[in-house]
DNA sequence: AATGTACCCTATCGTTTTAGTAGGGAATAG
DNA sequence: CTATTCCCTACTAAAACGATAGGGTACATT
């Protein structure tokens, strides 16, 4: 259950975009420096985000990237899906495409429930929240839970 | 956010073990056939489970594997951790080891909340539940939610 | 003691994914 | 016309993934 560097970078760059107070587009290079992301790698990521309609770009001098929709309408889930595909998959299949035999049949419910709970977090948090430095109350409550920050 | 084949196989084999009505140990070969898992690969997985104290083994004729603790004390999270390490990690680090700068600082809360919600499912379901063909009520409620089985 | 069963350990292997890098082309502002 | 900035394709090194192979070790039965 790993979150890839690509997904992490993509979210950070998008937050940076949303938080930017520049009137016009922000160049990839600025985003890269602000978030310590390799510049060329970030450009590849931004291209994915553009294909998915999350950012828009403008070329040439004074060009760069802007959000393609209001920050409050872009969720972390949207970004992760844009760069990494489905949020949760088991052996390269979506949970609901799986098919278990014999004693393991109830396992399907576990993976589906897992996906529900993953969505509950990632689809609830928007880039507007993060740019403001907050998360929705429901998510905040999760991080306040006993042991949330404990490691193993 | 992928669940590896290894983790999936490990859980299925453990369920099969718990559901087995054999008095003694069950050979890896039987588990492999029951769940359609490549035999040699499964042996490697069972070795991981043994190292983590989830199963115990006996060699020789009449040998095989048994659960090392009662099925109700083995969670899916235990099994996934035994074969794949930490449940959730971001760029090879545990969420609570991350450190974000600037505008992205609230992102840390997102990954921590994600982990809380992943744990809520995987630490709640035991092998005893699954062998019986059920999941705990709290997990069942998640799978009953609107859209839980819908794909994208 | 011999035999067959079954786990145990190390190594290897082909493919895919991950995390980047490189080169050069195309648009745009000034 | 020139500097800037995005755009597209290709490439690569290293790791992870999903296994497989060979040979060793323990145990029960005969």
């Amino acid at each position: 259950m790993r979150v890839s560097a690509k997904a992490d970078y993509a979210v950070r760059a998008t937050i940076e975009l949303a938080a930017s107070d520049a009137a016009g587009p922000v160049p990839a290079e600025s985003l890269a420096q602000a978030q310590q992301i390799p510049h060329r790698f970030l450009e590849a990521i931004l291209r994915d985000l553009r294909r998915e309609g999350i950012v828009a770009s403008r070329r040439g001098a004074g060009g760069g990237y802007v959000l393609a929709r209001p920050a409050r309408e872009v969720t972390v889930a949207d970004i992760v899906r844009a760069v990494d595909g489905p949020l949760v998959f088991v052996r390269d299949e979506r949970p609901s495409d799986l098919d278990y035999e014999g004693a393991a049949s109830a396992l399907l419910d576990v993976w589906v429930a897992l996906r529900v709970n993953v969505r509950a977090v990632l689809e609830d948090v928007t880039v507007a929240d993060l740019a403001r430095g907050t998360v929705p109350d429901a998510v905040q409550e999760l991080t306040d839970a006993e042991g949330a920050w404990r490691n193993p």
Side-chain angles (χ1 to χ4, degrees), chain A:
Chain A
M1 304 250 48
R2 71 144 19 175
V3 175
S4 67
K6 215 165 153 179
D8 183 57
Y9 289 161
V11 178
R12 282 157 57 191
T14 312
I15 295 170
E16 201 67 39
L17 254 191
S20 148
D21 39 358
V26 184
E29 180 61 34
S30 305
L31 300 173
Q33 276 180 20
Q35 288 295 324
Q36 311 263 65
I37 303 170
H39 167 231
R40 299 301 291 263
F41 191 35
L42 179 58
E43 289 221 322
I45 292 167
L46 287 165
R47 234 174 299 132
D48 288 341
L49 295 179
R50 186 179 53 97
R51 262 183 228 116
E52 298 297 320
I54 292 169
V55 304
S57 61
R58 219 159 70 200
R59 307 221 255 197
Y65 295 88
V66 281
L67 287 179
R69 349 190 260 260
R72 77 178 53 184
E73 290 173 25
V74 178
T75 68
V76 175
D78 293 333
I79 299 172
V80 173
R81 286 200 188 97
V83 300
D84 274 351
L87 290 187
V88 171
F89 45 108
V90 178
R91 291 164 69 240
D92 292 323
E93 296 204 84
R94 258 82 161 253
S96 20
D97 294 338
L98 291 167
D99 175 37
Y100 288 113
E101 308 209 342
S105 65
L107 185 52
L108 183 53
D109 290 27
V110 175
W111 304 138
V112 169
L114 176 66
R115 180 172 66 178
V116 169
N117 252 6
V118 168
R119 286 174 173 168
V121 172
L122 302 187
E123 291 182 347
D124 194 27
V125 181
T126 71
V127 170
D129 294 324
L130 294 171
R132 196 190 306 128
T134 67
V135 292
D137 288 348
V139 173
Q140 189 66 59
E141 275 168 34
L142 292 172
T143 67
D144 289 343
E146 176 73 13
W149 297 81
R150 209 189 48 237
N151 240 338

